[in-house]
Amino acid sequence: MDACDLLIVGGGPAGSACAWRAVRGGLETVVLDRSQFPRHKVCGGWITPAVLESLEIDPRHYGAGRTLQSITGFRTACIDAREAEVACGKTVSYGIRRCEFDDYLLRRSGARLHLGTNLTSLERSGDAWIANGQIRARMVVGAGGHFCPVARILGADARKEIAVVAQETEFEMDARQRAACAVRGEVPELYFCRDMRGYGWCFRKGDYLNIGLGRLDAHGLPRHVADFVEFLKRAKRIAFDLPSPMQGHAYLLLRDIRRKILDDGVLLAGDSAGLAYSQSGEGIRPAIESGLMAAEAVLAANGNYGAARLAGYKTQLEARFGNPRGDLATELGRKMPIKLLGAISRQLLANRWFSRHVVIDKWFLHADQPALKVSAGAAADSRASAA
Ligand SMILES: Cc1cc2nc3c(=O)[nH]c(=O)nc-3n(C[C@H](O)[C@H](O)[C@H](O)COP(=O)(O)OP(=O)(O)OC[C@H]3O[C@@H](n4cnc5c(N)ncnc54)[C@H](O)[C@@H]3O)c2cc1C
């Protein structure tokens, strides 16, 4: 039996951020993931600088030998309509490759790793948990993504939830493809569906190209994706066929926290808790911030892991991510007839002021929300809420 203070199920951004903070706080921490790392993760690989700041990662250090594409602007438009290009004048985002980024975060966390190990059972034994009959821990954090088995134990049923669905493909371009790609690395391109229920992206990171599309409804996703790729060719953004098929995944947007996210000896973080931002679908930052907050809550509970003592975690998540804004369609008025919504969206997304201040700063960069700093203050807040 491998005994530890904290078992984290899932070694993605939520799990590794939680592990990093917990290890620094002195907890014996084990991360269990069904994949061997490095592993592929379906994702665009766009992150905001706040992510690196919260984890105290120096971009120069991370970028040595790994893909770290600086992003200084964006192009926005409705598909098949006039576009706006916004220059921010500094690095406002980065492009990373998830196979590198997740592996880096997990290894630097300092936790003991059980990789290539599926969680097959998690049972209560007194005031502890026994995972797979092999790992004993008093505290468990479920960070296994949308289909996290720990979330299932807390009652989540992904089949009944309304999730965003997205597909992407990422590949290394050869010399011919590089010459036939008009997209610049520092200016990713975002193209919104006419009904504003999703958007496609074309995102160059060094020699890699990531193309994908996500929508609020799964209905007709492959058709939307195929139309989008044809549009990119028509608009001369790429002049070649995609060499690899799209892969898809689902996850929840933070409209409100609907899953049960804690109980005696257990918390959920990241996609497992359903925290991705509604307008952009950005899930890495909420995953990392909630992972850090989960570790703070465990440290603050100081060995008393009853649900009442952990309740401050939910309060903190609500304070950080609460009052979620609506998704794109809601923001622009879902009750509007689709034709009118389409006409207004085409105008707005081609307008540089709207693109900069609303789409980029508000919806995508959350420019008004500074990076989460994990601190003694956060732990004290958690203790106060639990008291
Ligand atoms: C097509 C697409 C594009 C996206 N693009 C972006 C983007 O550009 N930027 C952004 O911020 N967000 C993006 N997202 C969202 C983002 O990928 C997720 O929100 C983020 O990965 C959540 O991190 P996590 O750690 O909670 O979960 P995950 O990254 O999903 O990690 C969960 C881990 O748990 C492990 N696991 C699962 N089940 C088990 C089990 N039974 N036993 C053991 N281990 C298990 C998995 O192997 C995995 O490693 C995108 C999503 C999709 C689908």
Side-chain angles (χ1 to χ4, degrees):
M1 188 75 69
D2 186 357
C4 59
D5 300 316
L6 170 63
L7 169 66
I8 300 170
V9 177
S16 55
C18 182
W20 177 75
R21 179 65 189 96
V23 169
R24 280 164 39 121
L27 295 182
E28 188 85 32
T29 304
V30 166
V31 177
L32 180 139
D33 198 294
R34 67 181 172 198
S35 300
Q36 291 288 354
F37 279 59
R39 57 109 173 81
H40 172 70
K41 166 76 181 84
V42 175
C43 186
W46 155 67
I47 58 168
T48 39
V51 158
L52 300 186
E53 210 183 308
S54 291
L55 291 174
E56 298 172 16
I57 294 172
D58 179 345
R60 281 166 309 184
H61 178 262
Y62 179 80
R66 297 176 201 88
T67 297
L68 186 68
Q69 172 68 58
S70 159
I71 294 169
T72 57
F74 288 88
R75 261 165 90 110
T76 66
C78 266
I79 291 173
D80 263 330
R82 202 161 43 86
E83 75 279 340
E85 185 165 321
V86 167
C88 301
K90 60 176 185 179
T91 298
V92 290
S93 286
Y94 294 105
I96 49 92
R97 300 191 65 227
R98 288 292 297 270
C99 51
E100 294 174 351
F101 186 67
D102 289 20
D103 187 51
Y104 171 86
L105 296 188
L106 189 57
R107 310 264 174 215
R108 96 191 260 272
S109 73
R112 272 205 313 281
L113 306 180
H114 286 239
L115 301 180
T117 311
N118 202 15
L119 181 79
T120 50
S121 67
L122 185 65
E123 277 149 19
R124 208 73 178 127
S125 164
D127 67 348
W129 294 95
I130 309 286
N132 292 357
Q134 284 175 342
I135 308 170
R136 182 185 185 87
R138 293 219 25 243
M139 190 62 217
V140 168
V141 169
H146 183 57
F147 299 102
C148 180
V150 185
R152 272 205 305 276
I153 289 169
L154 289 187
D157 184 351
R159 289 166 311 176
K160 293 189 182 149
E161 295 168 326
I162 301 171
V164 74
V165 284
Q167 291 188 350
E168 60 87 23
T169 182
E170 181 167 297
F171 54 92
E172 186 171 10
M173 291 184 286
D174 60 26
R176 184 186 61 82
Q177 290 163 333
R178 285 199 297 276
C181 176
V183 181
R184 287 167 286 148
E186 62 280 11
V187 185
E189 307 190 358
L190 307 172
Y191 296 100
F192 292 79
C193 300
R194 281 177 215 104
D195 60 4
M196 292 303 285
R197 295 191 61 75
Y199 69 91
W201 63 88
C202 198
F203 191 2
R204 185 174 188 159
K205 313 175 226 183
D207 288 347
Y208 290 87
L209 191 65
N210 187 299
I211 292 178
L213 183 138
R215 281 189 58 85
L216 294 167
D217 50 344
H219 182 69
L221 182 69
R223 182 179 49 80
H224 283 284
V225 170
D227 288 352
F228 175 55
V229 174
E230 283 314 305
F231 155 73
L232 290 176
K233 291 184 197 163
R234 215 168 36 246
K236 300 196 171 20
R237 309 316 297 155
I238 55 169
F240 50 84
D241 292 329
L242 299 184
S244 49
M246 297 264 177
Q247 287 185 288
H249 194 59
Y251 59 113
L252 294 176
L253 297 181
L254 178 65
R255 293 175 176 120
D256 52 62
I257 298 170
R258 290 188 191 155
R259 287 188 172 180
K260 181 176 180 184
I261 57 158
L262 63 90
D263 207 336
D264 290 341
V266 58
L267 298 174
L268 301 183
D271 277 7
S272 175
L275 300 178
Y277 285 122
S278 300
Q279 306 90 347
S280 62
E282 177 187 11
I284 297 173
R285 179 174 176 182
I288 282 171
E289 292 191 351
S290 60
L292 293 171
M293 285 190 263
E296 292 273 322
V298 176
L299 287 163
N302 202 17
N304 176 356
Y305 298 135
R309 190 67 186 263
L310 297 171
Y313 173 63
K314 185 157 192 265
T315 314
Q316 283 181 4
L317 283 187
E318 281 166 350
R320 182 75 181 167
F321 303 111
N323 300 322
R325 296 174 184 130
D327 53 55
L328 292 169
T330 311
E331 287 266 304
L332 285 183
R334 185 182 289 163
K335 294 209 168 68
M336 246 181 238
I338 293 257
K339 264 195 175 166
L340 182 60
L341 178 61
I344 292 174
S345 307
R346 274 198 296 281
Q347 294 295 323
L348 288 176
L349 289 162
N351 176 289
R352 217 181 287 156
W353 185 94
F354 186 84
S355 178
R356 170 73 205 252
H357 296 285
V358 179
V359 181
I360 301 307
D361 282 352
K362 191 173 154 212
W363 293 351
F364 277 74
L365 300 181
H366 294 269
D368 54 349
Q369 192 169 43
L372 180 81
K373 300 271 192 224
V374 284
S375 66
D381 289 350
S382 167
R383 271 195 294 275
S385 317

